[in-house]
Amino acid sequence: MRFVALASVLAVVAASQDKDATIVVDERTDSGDGNFSYNVKTSNGIEISRTGTPGSEGQSNFRGSFRFPLNDGTFLEVTYVADELGYKPRFAIVPEFISPLSVTSARPIHRSSLAFSPDARSSLPF
């Protein structure tokens, strides 16, 4: 339930940033047996994807992500798993694009190093 509330708030914030955004990708599949997936992208950089499978205890298990642009040009990206063990999100602030030509001596940054640790989540403003 918290995910639905968070996603709704994020959608309202993101929608207020660009009222002329259009959907550029809308892919959906649903086999009718609890297996489904969808992927939606908008022209202003908002993306959401989710895959669902039947869970071992009768629930639906989800794995997915969503991201949207922040005012400073970076993106807030959340990846998550929701299953019989609970909702487990990971948050990351991702640069929009860093040109390899603009960085002369930098080491690659592993994606996992951008994610907040579970202890740091309590300090997030949402």
Side-chain angles (χ1 to χ4, degrees), residues 27-57:
E27 304 167 336
R28 301 168 190 256
T29 60
D30 188 345
S31 62
D33 62 356
N35 291 292
F36 71 90
S37 67
Y38 62 82
N39 181 33
V40 178
K41 296 180 183 181
T42 63
S43 60
N44 63 350
I46 298 171
E47 299 180 17
I48 184 167
S49 64
R50 180 187 283 185
T51 301
T53 58
S56 63
E57 298 179 13

PDB file of all heavy atoms in Angstrom, residues 27-57:
ATOM      1  N   GLU A  27       4.252  -0.772 -23.388  1.00  0.00           N
ATOM      2  CA  GLU A  27       4.265  -2.206 -23.675  1.00  0.00           C
ATOM      3  C   GLU A  27       3.658  -2.943 -22.492  1.00  0.00           C
ATOM      4  O   GLU A  27       4.096  -2.766 -21.364  1.00  0.00           O
ATOM      5  CB  GLU A  27       5.697  -2.699 -23.898  1.00  0.00           C
ATOM      6  CG  GLU A  27       6.428  -1.954 -24.984  1.00  0.00           C
ATOM      7  CD  GLU A  27       7.929  -2.220 -24.976  1.00  0.00           C
ATOM      8  OE1 GLU A  27       8.491  -2.595 -23.926  1.00  0.00           O
ATOM      9  OE2 GLU A  27       8.531  -2.014 -26.041  1.00  0.00           O
ATOM     10  N   ARG A  28       2.652  -3.769 -22.769  1.00  0.00           N
ATOM     11  CA  ARG A  28       1.965  -4.497 -21.700  1.00  0.00           C
ATOM     12  C   ARG A  28       1.679  -5.922 -22.145  1.00  0.00           C
ATOM     13  O   ARG A  28       1.263  -6.135 -23.280  1.00  0.00           O
ATOM     14  CB  ARG A  28       0.647  -3.825 -21.358  1.00  0.00           C
ATOM     15  CG  ARG A  28       0.807  -2.385 -20.902  1.00  0.00           C
ATOM     16  CD  ARG A  28      -0.545  -1.665 -20.866  1.00  0.00           C
ATOM     17  NE  ARG A  28      -0.373  -0.255 -20.674  1.00  0.00           N
ATOM     18  CZ  ARG A  28      -0.588   0.366 -19.533  1.00  0.00           C
ATOM     19  NH1 ARG A  28      -0.992  -0.302 -18.496  1.00  0.00           N
ATOM     20  NH2 ARG A  28      -0.398   1.664 -19.438  1.00  0.00           N
ATOM     21  N   THR A  29       1.876  -6.868 -21.231  1.00  0.00           N
ATOM     22  CA  THR A  29       1.478  -8.247 -21.465  1.00  0.00           C
ATOM     23  C   THR A  29       0.834  -8.777 -20.193  1.00  0.00           C
ATOM     24  O   THR A  29       1.240  -8.417 -19.084  1.00  0.00           O
ATOM     25  CB  THR A  29       2.666  -9.160 -21.835  1.00  0.00           C
ATOM     26  OG1 THR A  29       3.603  -9.156 -20.762  1.00  0.00           O
ATOM     27  CG2 THR A  29       3.343  -8.694 -23.108  1.00  0.00           C
ATOM     28  N   ASP A  30      -0.191  -9.606 -20.355  1.00  0.00           N
ATOM     29  CA  ASP A  30      -0.874 -10.227 -19.224  1.00  0.00           C
ATOM     30  C   ASP A  30      -1.386 -11.583 -19.686  1.00  0.00           C
ATOM     31  O   ASP A  30      -2.248 -11.662 -20.560  1.00  0.00           O
ATOM     32  CB  ASP A  30      -2.030  -9.365 -18.742  1.00  0.00           C
ATOM     33  CG  ASP A  30      -2.646  -9.875 -17.457  1.00  0.00           C
ATOM     34  OD1 ASP A  30      -2.394 -11.037 -17.074  1.00  0.00           O
ATOM     35  OD2 ASP A  30      -3.384  -9.107 -16.821  1.00  0.00           O
ATOM     36  N   SER A  31      -0.831 -12.641 -19.125  1.00  0.00           N
ATOM     37  CA  SER A  31      -1.216 -13.979 -19.554  1.00  0.00           C
ATOM     38  C   SER A  31      -2.487 -14.469 -18.868  1.00  0.00           C
ATOM     39  O   SER A  31      -3.000 -15.524 -19.214  1.00  0.00           O
ATOM     40  CB  SER A  31      -0.065 -14.960 -19.314  1.00  0.00           C
ATOM     41  OG  SER A  31       0.217 -15.031 -17.934  1.00  0.00           O
ATOM     42  N   GLY A  32      -2.996 -13.721 -17.887  1.00  0.00           N
ATOM     43  CA  GLY A  32      -4.226 -14.102 -17.210  1.00  0.00           C
ATOM     44  C   GLY A  32      -4.047 -15.084 -16.064  1.00  0.00           C
ATOM     45  O   GLY A  32      -5.003 -15.399 -15.367  1.00  0.00           O
ATOM     46  N   ASP A  33      -2.844 -15.575 -15.864  1.00  0.00           N
ATOM     47  CA  ASP A  33      -2.597 -16.535 -14.781  1.00  0.00           C
ATOM     48  C   ASP A  33      -1.759 -15.941 -13.650  1.00  0.00           C
ATOM     49  O   ASP A  33      -1.183 -16.655 -12.844  1.00  0.00           O
ATOM     50  CB  ASP A  33      -1.911 -17.777 -15.343  1.00  0.00           C
ATOM     51  CG  ASP A  33      -0.542 -17.475 -15.952  1.00  0.00           C
ATOM     52  OD1 ASP A  33      -0.148 -16.297 -16.002  1.00  0.00           O
ATOM     53  OD2 ASP A  33       0.129 -18.436 -16.382  1.00  0.00           O
ATOM     54  N   GLY A  34      -1.679 -14.628 -13.602  1.00  0.00           N
ATOM     55  CA  GLY A  34      -0.878 -13.960 -12.582  1.00  0.00           C
ATOM     56  C   GLY A  34       0.470 -13.480 -13.092  1.00  0.00           C
ATOM     57  O   GLY A  34       1.168 -12.731 -12.411  1.00  0.00           O
ATOM     58  N   ASN A  35       0.855 -13.884 -14.279  1.00  0.00           N
ATOM     59  CA  ASN A  35       2.096 -13.419 -14.895  1.00  0.00           C
ATOM     60  C   ASN A  35       1.781 -12.221 -15.785  1.00  0.00           C
ATOM     61  O   ASN A  35       0.898 -12.305 -16.640  1.00  0.00           O
ATOM     62  CB  ASN A  35       2.724 -14.527 -15.747  1.00  0.00           C
ATOM     63  CG  ASN A  35       3.238 -15.661 -14.901  1.00  0.00           C
ATOM     64  OD1 ASN A  35       4.201 -15.502 -14.164  1.00  0.00           O
ATOM     65  ND2 ASN A  35       2.583 -16.804 -14.986  1.00  0.00           N
ATOM     66  N   PHE A  36       2.486 -11.133 -15.569  1.00  0.00           N
ATOM     67  CA  PHE A  36       2.276  -9.940 -16.382  1.00  0.00           C
ATOM     68  C   PHE A  36       3.545  -9.108 -16.398  1.00  0.00           C
ATOM     69  O   PHE A  36       4.453  -9.306 -15.605  1.00  0.00           O
ATOM     70  CB  PHE A  36       1.110  -9.096 -15.849  1.00  0.00           C
ATOM     71  CG  PHE A  36       1.425  -8.405 -14.544  1.00  0.00           C
ATOM     72  CD1 PHE A  36       1.981  -7.139 -14.535  1.00  0.00           C
ATOM     73  CD2 PHE A  36       1.179  -9.032 -13.337  1.00  0.00           C
ATOM     74  CE1 PHE A  36       2.288  -6.502 -13.342  1.00  0.00           C
ATOM     75  CE2 PHE A  36       1.475  -8.400 -12.141  1.00  0.00           C
ATOM     76  CZ  PHE A  36       2.032  -7.139 -12.143  1.00  0.00           C
ATOM     77  N   SER A  37       3.584  -8.154 -17.312  1.00  0.00           N
ATOM     78  CA  SER A  37       4.667  -7.171 -17.312  1.00  0.00           C
ATOM     79  C   SER A  37       4.184  -5.930 -18.048  1.00  0.00           C
ATOM     80  O   SER A  37       3.286  -6.011 -18.898  1.00  0.00           O
ATOM     81  CB  SER A  37       5.932  -7.722 -17.979  1.00  0.00           C
ATOM     82  OG  SER A  37       5.708  -7.925 -19.352  1.00  0.00           O
ATOM     83  N   TYR A  38       4.743  -4.798 -17.686  1.00  0.00           N
ATOM     84  CA  TYR A  38       4.505  -3.583 -18.438  1.00  0.00           C
ATOM     85  C   TYR A  38       5.719  -2.682 -18.348  1.00  0.00           C
ATOM     86  O   TYR A  38       6.523  -2.769 -17.435  1.00  0.00           O
ATOM     87  CB  TYR A  38       3.220  -2.859 -18.035  1.00  0.00           C
ATOM     88  CG  TYR A  38       3.144  -2.360 -16.612  1.00  0.00           C
ATOM     89  CD1 TYR A  38       3.728  -1.161 -16.235  1.00  0.00           C
ATOM     90  CD2 TYR A  38       2.435  -3.069 -15.655  1.00  0.00           C
ATOM     91  CE1 TYR A  38       3.629  -0.695 -14.949  1.00  0.00           C
ATOM     92  CE2 TYR A  38       2.322  -2.601 -14.357  1.00  0.00           C
ATOM     93  CZ  TYR A  38       2.919  -1.420 -14.018  1.00  0.00           C
ATOM     94  OH  TYR A  38       2.823  -0.948 -12.724  1.00  0.00           O
ATOM     95  N   ASN A  39       5.823  -1.839 -19.360  1.00  0.00           N
ATOM     96  CA  ASN A  39       6.930  -0.904 -19.480  1.00  0.00           C
ATOM     97  C   ASN A  39       6.374   0.362 -20.118  1.00  0.00           C
ATOM     98  O   ASN A  39       5.838   0.303 -21.225  1.00  0.00           O
ATOM     99  CB  ASN A  39       8.028  -1.522 -20.351  1.00  0.00           C
ATOM    100  CG  ASN A  39       9.217  -0.623 -20.508  1.00  0.00           C
ATOM    101  OD1 ASN A  39       9.567   0.127 -19.609  1.00  0.00           O
ATOM    102  ND2 ASN A  39       9.852  -0.683 -21.656  1.00  0.00           N
ATOM    103  N   VAL A  40       6.476   1.482 -19.425  1.00  0.00           N
ATOM    104  CA  VAL A  40       5.956   2.755 -19.924  1.00  0.00           C
ATOM    105  C   VAL A  40       7.050   3.803 -19.806  1.00  0.00           C
ATOM    106  O   VAL A  40       7.717   3.901 -18.774  1.00  0.00           O
ATOM    107  CB  VAL A  40       4.703   3.205 -19.137  1.00  0.00           C
ATOM    108  CG1 VAL A  40       4.200   4.545 -19.629  1.00  0.00           C
ATOM    109  CG2 VAL A  40       3.608   2.153 -19.196  1.00  0.00           C
ATOM    110  N   LYS A  41       7.238   4.576 -20.878  1.00  0.00           N
ATOM    111  CA  LYS A  41       8.204   5.676 -20.870  1.00  0.00           C
ATOM    112  C   LYS A  41       7.525   6.909 -21.454  1.00  0.00           C
ATOM    113  O   LYS A  41       6.734   6.799 -22.387  1.00  0.00           O
ATOM    114  CB  LYS A  41       9.430   5.338 -21.719  1.00  0.00           C
ATOM    115  CG  LYS A  41      10.216   4.174 -21.175  1.00  0.00           C
ATOM    116  CD  LYS A  41      11.411   3.857 -22.036  1.00  0.00           C
ATOM    117  CE  LYS A  41      12.129   2.638 -21.482  1.00  0.00           C
ATOM    118  NZ  LYS A  41      13.318   2.301 -22.256  1.00  0.00           N
ATOM    119  N   THR A  42       7.878   8.076 -20.904  1.00  0.00           N
ATOM    120  CA  THR A  42       7.318   9.323 -21.405  1.00  0.00           C
ATOM    121  C   THR A  42       8.417  10.194 -22.008  1.00  0.00           C
ATOM    122  O   THR A  42       9.607   9.967 -21.770  1.00  0.00           O
ATOM    123  CB  THR A  42       6.614  10.109 -20.281  1.00  0.00           C
ATOM    124  OG1 THR A  42       7.583  10.475 -19.299  1.00  0.00           O
ATOM    125  CG2 THR A  42       5.504   9.295 -19.642  1.00  0.00           C
ATOM    126  N   SER A  43       7.999  11.198 -22.742  1.00  0.00           N
ATOM    127  CA  SER A  43       8.955  12.067 -23.432  1.00  0.00           C
ATOM    128  C   SER A  43       9.781  12.923 -22.473  1.00  0.00           C
ATOM    129  O   SER A  43      10.819  13.439 -22.855  1.00  0.00           O
ATOM    130  CB  SER A  43       8.214  12.972 -24.417  1.00  0.00           C
ATOM    131  OG  SER A  43       7.267  13.778 -23.732  1.00  0.00           O
ATOM    132  N   ASN A  44       9.344  13.072 -21.229  1.00  0.00           N
ATOM    133  CA  ASN A  44      10.107  13.872 -20.275  1.00  0.00           C
ATOM    134  C   ASN A  44      10.988  13.033 -19.350  1.00  0.00           C
ATOM    135  O   ASN A  44      11.488  13.521 -18.349  1.00  0.00           O
ATOM    136  CB  ASN A  44       9.172  14.767 -19.463  1.00  0.00           C
ATOM    137  CG  ASN A  44       8.196  13.981 -18.625  1.00  0.00           C
ATOM    138  OD1 ASN A  44       8.075  12.773 -18.767  1.00  0.00           O
ATOM    139  ND2 ASN A  44       7.474  14.669 -17.764  1.00  0.00           N
ATOM    140  N   GLY A  45      11.183  11.762 -19.693  1.00  0.00           N
ATOM    141  CA  GLY A  45      12.132  10.936 -18.941  1.00  0.00           C
ATOM    142  C   GLY A  45      11.553  10.066 -17.852  1.00  0.00           C
ATOM    143  O   GLY A  45      12.286   9.338 -17.199  1.00  0.00           O
ATOM    144  N   ILE A  46      10.258  10.108 -17.636  1.00  0.00           N
ATOM    145  CA  ILE A  46       9.646   9.244 -16.631  1.00  0.00           C
ATOM    146  C   ILE A  46       9.564   7.834 -17.200  1.00  0.00           C
ATOM    147  O   ILE A  46       9.173   7.641 -18.341  1.00  0.00           O
ATOM    148  CB  ILE A  46       8.242   9.754 -16.240  1.00  0.00           C
ATOM    149  CG1 ILE A  46       8.352  11.144 -15.622  1.00  0.00           C
ATOM    150  CG2 ILE A  46       7.558   8.775 -15.296  1.00  0.00           C
ATOM    151  CD1 ILE A  46       7.022  11.820 -15.410  1.00  0.00           C
ATOM    152  N   GLU A  47       9.950   6.855 -16.384  1.00  0.00           N
ATOM    153  CA  GLU A  47       9.893   5.461 -16.799  1.00  0.00           C
ATOM    154  C   GLU A  47       9.361   4.619 -15.649  1.00  0.00           C
ATOM    155  O   GLU A  47       9.684   4.874 -14.489  1.00  0.00           O
ATOM    156  CB  GLU A  47      11.274   4.936 -17.175  1.00  0.00           C
ATOM    157  CG  GLU A  47      11.917   5.662 -18.332  1.00  0.00           C
ATOM    158  CD  GLU A  47      13.297   5.116 -18.669  1.00  0.00           C
ATOM    159  OE1 GLU A  47      13.625   3.987 -18.243  1.00  0.00           O
ATOM    160  OE2 GLU A  47      14.037   5.831 -19.348  1.00  0.00           O
ATOM    161  N   ILE A  48       8.550   3.627 -15.984  1.00  0.00           N
ATOM    162  CA  ILE A  48       8.073   2.673 -14.980  1.00  0.00           C
ATOM    163  C   ILE A  48       7.959   1.312 -15.650  1.00  0.00           C
ATOM    164  O   ILE A  48       7.522   1.213 -16.790  1.00  0.00           O
ATOM    165  CB  ILE A  48       6.732   3.110 -14.349  1.00  0.00           C
ATOM    166  CG1 ILE A  48       6.320   2.135 -13.248  1.00  0.00           C
ATOM    167  CG2 ILE A  48       5.660   3.273 -15.389  1.00  0.00           C
ATOM    168  CD1 ILE A  48       5.200   2.634 -12.371  1.00  0.00           C
ATOM    169  N   SER A  49       8.411   0.295 -14.939  1.00  0.00           N
ATOM    170  CA  SER A  49       8.271  -1.064 -15.439  1.00  0.00           C
ATOM    171  C   SER A  49       8.004  -1.984 -14.257  1.00  0.00           C
ATOM    172  O   SER A  49       8.455  -1.726 -13.138  1.00  0.00           O
ATOM    173  CB  SER A  49       9.515  -1.509 -16.200  1.00  0.00           C
ATOM    174  OG  SER A  49      10.620  -1.558 -15.338  1.00  0.00           O
ATOM    175  N   ARG A  50       7.251  -3.034 -14.531  1.00  0.00           N
ATOM    176  CA  ARG A  50       6.926  -3.992 -13.474  1.00  0.00           C
ATOM    177  C   ARG A  50       6.670  -5.347 -14.116  1.00  0.00           C
ATOM    178  O   ARG A  50       6.059  -5.447 -15.172  1.00  0.00           O
ATOM    179  CB  ARG A  50       5.693  -3.554 -12.706  1.00  0.00           C
ATOM    180  CG  ARG A  50       5.312  -4.533 -11.597  1.00  0.00           C
ATOM    181  CD  ARG A  50       4.015  -4.203 -10.940  1.00  0.00           C
ATOM    182  NE  ARG A  50       4.186  -3.089 -10.028  1.00  0.00           N
ATOM    183  CZ  ARG A  50       3.231  -2.644  -9.229  1.00  0.00           C
ATOM    184  NH1 ARG A  50       2.027  -3.178  -9.254  1.00  0.00           N
ATOM    185  NH2 ARG A  50       3.454  -1.632  -8.431  1.00  0.00           N
ATOM    186  N   THR A  51       7.133  -6.383 -13.439  1.00  0.00           N
ATOM    187  CA  THR A  51       6.861  -7.759 -13.825  1.00  0.00           C
ATOM    188  C   THR A  51       6.214  -8.427 -12.626  1.00  0.00           C
ATOM    189  O   THR A  51       6.670  -8.263 -11.499  1.00  0.00           O
ATOM    190  CB  THR A  51       8.163  -8.497 -14.194  1.00  0.00           C
ATOM    191  OG1 THR A  51       8.783  -7.801 -15.271  1.00  0.00           O
ATOM    192  CG2 THR A  51       7.894  -9.924 -14.598  1.00  0.00           C
ATOM    193  N   GLY A  52       5.154  -9.168 -12.870  1.00  0.00           N
ATOM    194  CA  GLY A  52       4.463  -9.858 -11.794  1.00  0.00           C
ATOM    195  C   GLY A  52       4.384 -11.349 -12.046  1.00  0.00           C
ATOM    196  O   GLY A  52       4.245 -11.782 -13.190  1.00  0.00           O
ATOM    197  N   THR A  53       4.486 -12.111 -10.963  1.00  0.00           N
ATOM    198  CA  THR A  53       4.359 -13.567 -11.020  1.00  0.00           C
ATOM    199  C   THR A  53       3.536 -14.024  -9.826  1.00  0.00           C
ATOM    200  O   THR A  53       3.512 -13.341  -8.795  1.00  0.00           O
ATOM    201  CB  THR A  53       5.738 -14.258 -10.975  1.00  0.00           C
ATOM    202  OG1 THR A  53       6.418 -13.856  -9.783  1.00  0.00           O
ATOM    203  CG2 THR A  53       6.579 -13.906 -12.187  1.00  0.00           C
ATOM    204  N   PRO A  54       2.855 -15.160  -9.941  1.00  0.00           N
ATOM    205  CA  PRO A  54       2.120 -15.676  -8.788  1.00  0.00           C
ATOM    206  C   PRO A  54       3.086 -16.051  -7.667  1.00  0.00           C
ATOM    207  O   PRO A  54       4.152 -16.614  -7.920  1.00  0.00           O
ATOM    208  CB  PRO A  54       1.407 -16.925  -9.327  1.00  0.00           C
ATOM    209  CG  PRO A  54       1.464 -16.823 -10.806  1.00  0.00           C
ATOM    210  CD  PRO A  54       2.663 -15.993 -11.127  1.00  0.00           C
ATOM    211  N   GLY A  55       2.720 -15.732  -6.444  1.00  0.00           N
ATOM    212  CA  GLY A  55       3.564 -16.050  -5.304  1.00  0.00           C
ATOM    213  C   GLY A  55       3.218 -17.392  -4.680  1.00  0.00           C
ATOM    214  O   GLY A  55       2.160 -17.965  -4.941  1.00  0.00           O
ATOM    215  N   SER A  56       4.108 -17.867  -3.836  1.00  0.00           N
ATOM    216  CA  SER A  56       3.952 -19.180  -3.220  1.00  0.00           C
ATOM    217  C   SER A  56       2.820 -19.233  -2.194  1.00  0.00           C
ATOM    218  O   SER A  56       2.355 -20.316  -1.857  1.00  0.00           O
ATOM    219  CB  SER A  56       5.266 -19.604  -2.561  1.00  0.00           C
ATOM    220  OG  SER A  56       5.600 -18.696  -1.523  1.00  0.00           O
ATOM    221  N   GLU A  57       2.393 -18.080  -1.718  1.00  0.00           N
ATOM    222  CA  GLU A  57       1.333 -18.046  -0.709  1.00  0.00           C
ATOM    223  C   GLU A  57       0.057 -17.418  -1.260  1.00  0.00           C
ATOM    224  O   GLU A  57      -0.768 -16.892  -0.510  1.00  0.00           O
ATOM    225  CB  GLU A  57       1.830 -17.293   0.518  1.00  0.00           C
ATOM    226  CG  GLU A  57       3.029 -17.979   1.164  1.00  0.00           C
ATOM    227  CD  GLU A  57       3.568 -17.237   2.366  1.00  0.00           C
ATOM    228  OE1 GLU A  57       2.893 -16.321   2.878  1.00  0.00           O
ATOM    229  OE2 GLU A  57       4.685 -17.578   2.795  1.00  0.00           O
TER     230      GLU A  57
END
